[in-house]
């Protein structure tokens, strides 16, 4: 999401842009309000499992068990105030029109099973940025860079090699 803002506001400073596991808009707003309220009442532990399930496929959770456990600890140690502020920023973000101004060569990547920022969100960004290409990585959810690191790195390196000065 920050990358999209960078592309719209400072695109002249970029050689290229990669947007992975993101969306230009996160509807409905009520989901974010519910997450904020849930965490304010019960702390980070009440959302940890659901977050892991959104971020990783079941196969990825098994295959990357130690890494997933580290991420779970990060979630549990995230300050509630910071989490809530992040949720509010995501809830209020709307870059559906501004992304149309991105002129840098852009790679949009998404895991095929990403429920948080789904393939449809990546397709929207791809359609909005005329200089973009879209890569959908199989057998991955939101943390595509971890679940399918070889596929992710291959796509990223290929894109960078094509778009260097």
């Amino acid at each position: 999401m920050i990358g999209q803002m960078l592309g719209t506001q400072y695109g002249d400073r970029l050689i290229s842009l990669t947007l992975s596991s993101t969306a230009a808009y996160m509807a409905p707003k009520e989901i974010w309000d519910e997450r904020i309220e849930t965490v304010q009442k019960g702390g980070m532990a009440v959302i940890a499992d659901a977050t892991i399930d959104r971020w990783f496929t079941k196969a990825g959770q098994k295959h990357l068990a130690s890494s997933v456990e580290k991420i779970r600890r990060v979630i549990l140690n995230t300050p509630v105030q910071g989490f809530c502020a992040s949720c509010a920023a995501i809830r209020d973000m709307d870059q559906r029109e501004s992304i149309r101004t991105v002129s840098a060569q852009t790679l949009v990547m998404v895991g095929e099973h990403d429920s948080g920022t789904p393939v449809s969100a990546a397709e929207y960004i791809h359609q909005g940025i005329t200089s973009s290409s879209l890569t959908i990585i199989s057998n991955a959810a939101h943390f595509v860079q971890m679940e399918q690191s070889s596929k992710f790195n291959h796509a990223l390196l290929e894109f960078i090699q094509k778009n260097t000065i």
Side-chain angles (χ1 to χ4, degrees):
M1 294 170 186
I2 293 169
Q4 291 172 66
M5 293 178 97
L6 185 66
T8 60
Q9 295 178 16
Y10 303 102
D12 59 324
R13 299 180 184 183
L14 302 177
I15 296 170
S16 64
L17 177 64
T18 299
L19 304 172
S20 178
S21 306
T22 189
Y25 179 72
M26 297 291 288
K29 294 184 180 291
E30 295 78 22
I31 289 174
W32 297 98
D33 293 334
E34 289 171 15
R35 283 190 191 155
I36 290 168
E37 184 178 342
T38 298
V39 168
Q40 285 174 333
K41 288 181 179 177
M44 294 303 293
V46 298
I47 63 151
D49 288 340
T51 301
I52 292 295
D53 286 342
R54 273 193 313 278
W55 287 356
F56 294 93
T57 63
K58 291 295 183 192
Q61 289 179 45
K62 289 178 185 172
H63 177 69
L64 300 165
S66 63
S67 295
V68 170
E69 186 52 38
K70 289 176 186 175
I71 291 170
R72 182 186 312 279
R73 285 195 302 270
V74 169
I75 293 167
L76 293 171
N77 289 314
T78 298
V80 168
Q81 183 178 8
F83 176 82
C84 293
S86 178
C87 286
I90 292 169
R91 176 197 65 206
D92 298 340
M93 175 215 51
D94 187 346
Q95 300 184 93
R96 291 177 287 185
E97 290 303 317
S98 63
I99 60 167
R100 297 182 190 293
T101 66
V102 173
S103 59
Q105 290 297 314
T106 302
L107 172 61
V108 181
M109 289 199 285
V110 63
E112 74 171 322
H113 301 296
D114 188 340
S115 63
T117 55
V119 170
S120 60
E123 290 171 336
Y124 185 91
I125 293 169
H126 172 56
Q127 291 166 0
I129 301 174
T130 57
S131 59
S132 70
S133 59
L134 174 64
T135 299
I136 301 168
I137 298 180
S138 60
N139 302 314
H142 193 64
F143 269 48
V144 61
Q145 74 284 1
M146 287 181 67
E147 277 199 273
Q148 295 296 333
S149 58
S150 293
K151 292 178 187 177
F152 180 92
N153 290 337
H154 176 78
L156 180 59
L157 289 172
E158 185 176 74
F159 173 76
I160 291 170
Q161 289 170 348
K162 286 181 186 176
N163 292 287
T164 55
I165 31 179

